[in-house]
Amino acid sequence: MEFTNRLLNWYHENKRVLPFRSSNDPYHIWISEIMAQQTQIATMIPYYERWILKYPTIKDLAEGQIEDILKMWEGLGYYNRARNLHKGAQYVMDNFGGELPKDKKLLMEIPGIGDYTSSAIAAIAFNLPEIAVDGNVKRVMSRYLNYTENANTRLAHKTFEDFLKNELIKSGANPADFVQALMELGALVYTPSNTNCENSPFKEMCACYRGENVGTIPFFPKAKKVPVYDKTVLYYINEGFILLSKDDEDGLMKDFYRLPQIDGHSDKEPLTTLVHKFTHLHWNIQVDILTDLPENEHWFLFPIKELDTISMVTAHRKILNKLKY
């Protein structure tokens, strides 16, 4: 019980005041957990607050238009999260009467909710004894247990989960506090840069604090290099209209508007350049000015004054921002 006592004492003294922590609404917790994936808390908070105002209930989200939902999400990236939230809300309306179920396995039936998110909702919203193991928790437990193997494997996940669930159950602690305390400890103390776990509430209980394998754990194999593709964006403006496209045959950012883009680079002097990084590939973009309006079934003129009303491929929105549009 000493592990849990130290963890919770630290949490109650150091936890951040966050808008989603003031609510025990399972829907609010669901939205916050999805938004926080691959996104820093400071970045996602304004998105979360705007989202809850526009879609205050699961029913509101289920009835929303996907175009509006994607526009609300613009800038957060990983847009399948937004699409799955919409699908998930519709699934909850159709199968659970508009209420998230108080069961981890049933939660995992919902589109976009996997092992981590189902555990987080079950623990935080419903106080069920489930453990949500994210990157923060992996850092905490790898360093605490001196776990030197690949921390991204299923074996590592089970090792951490079993240890923590045993601590949670035997201590009788509140699951919501326990799970959030672990996440917060990883975010504030057991950070990638604080390799010796300075200010750890566990101190001598923690292997890295004691000086074991400092700077080497958690161990994650190096990611493979991603391919880089040369792309040319075509820029055409005339009498308050700009040339846009809805050609998403590349499978990226479906349903988003974009500037016309073709493979390769021309020999022209580019208007501007941009390198945009997706998780699995990079675009090396140069922007060429068009003097004549080309014919293409996917390309069309769009009013410049309405650009802020549509959802647009992030790379191309960046280009427009660089060009003061």
Side-chain angles (χ1 to χ4, degrees):
M1 291 176 62
E2 186 178 1
F3 175 95
T4 303
N5 288 336
R6 292 195 189 194
L7 173 67
L8 294 182
N9 287 339
W10 174 89
Y11 177 64
H12 293 308
E13 292 177 5
N14 295 279
K15 66 180 178 181
R16 292 168 291 180
V17 177
L18 302 173
F20 40 85
R21 286 201 179 134
S22 64
S23 171
N24 60 0
D25 185 325
Y27 167 64
H28 292 182
I29 292 163
W30 176 25
I31 299 301
S32 69
E33 287 298 332
I34 296 298
M35 283 190 171
Q37 293 170 13
Q38 307 294 330
T39 306
Q40 293 183 347
I41 294 295
T43 300
M44 62 81 72
I45 284 176
Y47 283 88
Y48 169 82
E49 292 176 330
R50 290 193 295 267
W51 185 282
I52 295 302
L53 284 175
K54 187 172 179 65
Y55 305 113
T57 68
I58 292 175
K59 183 175 184 293
D60 293 316
L61 177 55
E63 294 175 352
Q65 299 298 310
I66 188 60
E67 294 82 7
D68 295 334
I69 290 166
L70 291 174
K71 180 61 181 172
M72 288 285 292
W73 200 271
E74 188 174 355
L76 274 179
Y78 301 93
Y79 289 89
N80 276 339
R81 294 183 295 171
R83 294 187 182 92
N84 283 331
L85 278 172
H86 189 221
K87 293 175 185 176
Q90 293 173 333
Y91 187 92
V92 172
M93 292 302 299
D94 292 341
N95 295 274
F96 299 123
E99 300 287 339
L100 287 171
K102 299 179 181 180
D103 182 276
K104 176 179 166 68
K105 289 184 179 179
L106 292 178
L107 285 166
M108 290 182 69
E109 294 180 3
I110 300 169
I113 295 184
D115 181 78
Y116 166 78
T117 307
S118 61
S119 294
I121 295 171
I124 299 170
F126 300 123
N127 273 316
L128 298 176
E130 300 291 349
I131 302 297
V133 179
D134 66 353
N136 286 325
V137 175
K138 287 177 183 178
R139 274 199 309 279
V140 172
M141 296 316 302
S142 291
R143 293 177 183 175
Y144 181 90
L145 297 174
N146 198 23
Y147 191 89
T148 58
E149 301 300 317
N150 182 355
N152 273 340
T153 64
R154 185 60 201 169
L155 175 60
H157 186 286
K158 189 173 188 315
T159 300
F160 304 153
E161 184 180 49
D162 287 349
F163 175 90
L164 292 169
K165 186 170 284 192
N166 180 62
E167 291 291 331
L168 171 62
I169 292 172
K170 77 180 182 182
S171 69
N174 177 282
D177 284 347
F178 187 87
V179 166
Q180 290 181 100
L182 285 165
M183 297 174 181
E184 195 78 330
L185 184 62
L188 299 183
V189 175
Y190 279 66
T191 63
S193 59
N194 186 20
T195 54
N196 64 352
C197 308
E198 184 179 355
N199 297 319
S200 167
F202 303 126
K203 297 188 181 299
E204 77 288 348
M205 296 172 68
C206 169
C208 276
Y209 186 93
R210 294 195 305 266
E212 299 176 42
N213 292 306
V214 173
T216 63
I217 53 177
F219 167 65
F220 300 117
K222 288 185 178 180
K224 295 179 181 178
K225 288 186 177 181
V226 299
V228 178
Y229 298 100
D230 289 341
K231 300 286 182 178
T232 297
V233 161
L234 305 176
Y235 183 72
Y236 177 87
I237 284 182
N238 187 33
E239 296 183 352
F241 287 83
I242 187 169
L243 188 65
L244 294 185
S245 171
K246 289 208 80 172
D247 181 6
D248 54 17
E249 290 181 355
D250 58 12
L252 296 171
M253 301 187 77
K254 181 176 170 57
D255 300 321
F256 278 66
Y257 290 82
R258 59 181 70 199
L259 297 166
Q261 180 171 283
I262 59 177
D263 293 335
H265 285 168
S266 70
D267 294 330
K268 295 180 181 179
E269 181 69 23
L271 181 62
T272 189
T273 61
L274 178 77
V275 175
H276 185 73
K277 298 179 180 181
F278 296 94
T279 306
H280 60 296
L281 60 87
H282 295 172
W283 280 347
N284 180 26
I285 300 172
Q286 77 171 39
V287 181
D288 289 354
I289 297 177
L290 290 179
T291 55
D292 297 312
L293 184 63
E295 290 188 9
N296 185 293
E297 62 176 321
H298 298 293
W299 300 355
F300 54 90
L301 291 172
F302 188 86
I304 291 174
K305 64 181 181 180
E306 296 180 19
L307 282 173
D308 284 342
T309 68
I310 60 175
S311 53
M312 177 170 282
V313 169
T314 303
H316 296 176
R317 180 72 77 184
K318 289 179 180 177
I319 289 170
L320 291 177
N321 287 339
K322 288 182 72 173
L323 299 175
K324 308 303 181 185
Y325 285 100

